[in-house]
Amino acid sequence: LFFIILILLFLFSGYLNKIFFVLLFITLGGISKFYHRFLKTTIGIDLVFFTSVITSLVYGKMPGIIVAILGLLIADTIGARFSHTSLISLLALTCVVVLSGFFTQIEITTAALILAIVYEIIAAALYSIMGSSPQGIFIFIVSHLAFNSFLVFSFANTLKQIM
C-alpha cells in the first residue's frame, strides 16, 4: 500500500503542484485588496495581476484565467470594491492572459514586464473611456506598474523554478 501511494504521488505530483499554486495564487490575489475596505484610493498595489500572469506563463492560459477571475472576484469582494474598475480589470487581465501564450518562449521576467505594460495600456484606455480622472489613472498606472515590476524582478524566476 505504501508503494502504491508513493507511485500515485509521483504520477500526480505535477498536478498536485499545479493545483497547490493555483489555489495559493487565487488566495493571495484575493486577500491582496483587503486594504481597499478601509482606504479608498486609486493606488494599484495588489497581487491579482502578478499571480495571474505568472500562472499563465508557467501553466498556460486556462489556469491563468482561473486565477485572474477568481482572484479578482475574491479581492473585490473582500475589499468591498465592486465597480466599473472590476470590469476594467477583468477585461484587461483576460486580454493579457490570452496574450501570454505568445510569450512563453522568452525569459519570464521579460514576458511578465511586457504583459504588465500591455495591461497598463489597456487599463488606461478603458479607464479613460469610463470617465476616470486623468490624475487617478496616472496614479494607478504608475503604482501598479512599479509594484508589479518589483514583484517580477524579485520573484518571477524563483517561482518559475519551483512551480
Side-chain angles (χ1 to χ4, degrees), residues 26-161:
I26 289 168
T27 303
L28 289 174
I31 62 173
S32 68
K33 289 188 177 187
F34 181 71
Y35 72 94
H36 281 204
R37 182 175 288 275
F38 309 103
L39 209 98
K40 301 300 180 201
T41 179
T42 58
I43 294 174
I45 296 177
D46 65 75
L47 297 172
V48 177
F49 171 85
F50 178 74
T51 57
S52 302
V53 166
I54 296 301
T55 302
S56 64
L57 288 169
V58 175
Y59 293 143
K61 290 182 254 186
M62 195 49 118
I65 287 175
I66 291 168
V67 169
I69 292 171
L70 292 179
L72 183 64
L73 181 66
I74 293 167
D76 283 352
T77 300
I78 289 175
R81 188 93 183 235
F82 277 111
S83 68
H84 72 285
T85 62
S86 302
L87 180 59
I88 289 170
S89 293
L90 182 61
L91 290 171
L93 280 170
T94 302
C95 289
V96 167
V97 167
V98 168
L99 289 173
S100 70
F102 296 106
F103 295 93
T104 57
Q105 299 305 313
I106 63 173
E107 203 268 323
I108 194 165
T109 304
T110 304
L113 288 175
I114 291 169
L115 292 168
I117 292 166
V118 170
Y119 176 90
E120 305 309 342
I121 292 168
I122 293 169
L126 292 173
Y127 283 132
S128 293
I129 291 169
M130 297 297 284
S132 295
S133 74
Q135 178 186 8
I137 295 170
F138 179 79
I139 291 169
F140 173 79
I141 297 302
V142 169
S143 62
H144 194 257
L145 185 58
F147 182 69
N148 281 288
S149 295
F150 166 76
L151 293 175
V152 167
F153 283 120
S154 300
F155 303 110
N157 284 315
T158 303
L159 284 170
K160 183 180 179 184
Q161 290 173 357

Side-chain angles (χ1 to χ4, degrees), residues 1-16:
L1 181 63
F2 176 74
F3 290 112
I4 293 172
I5 292 172
L6 280 179
I7 291 170
L8 288 173
L9 283 174
F10 177 76
L11 291 174
F12 294 106
S13 65
Y15 293 112
L16 295 175

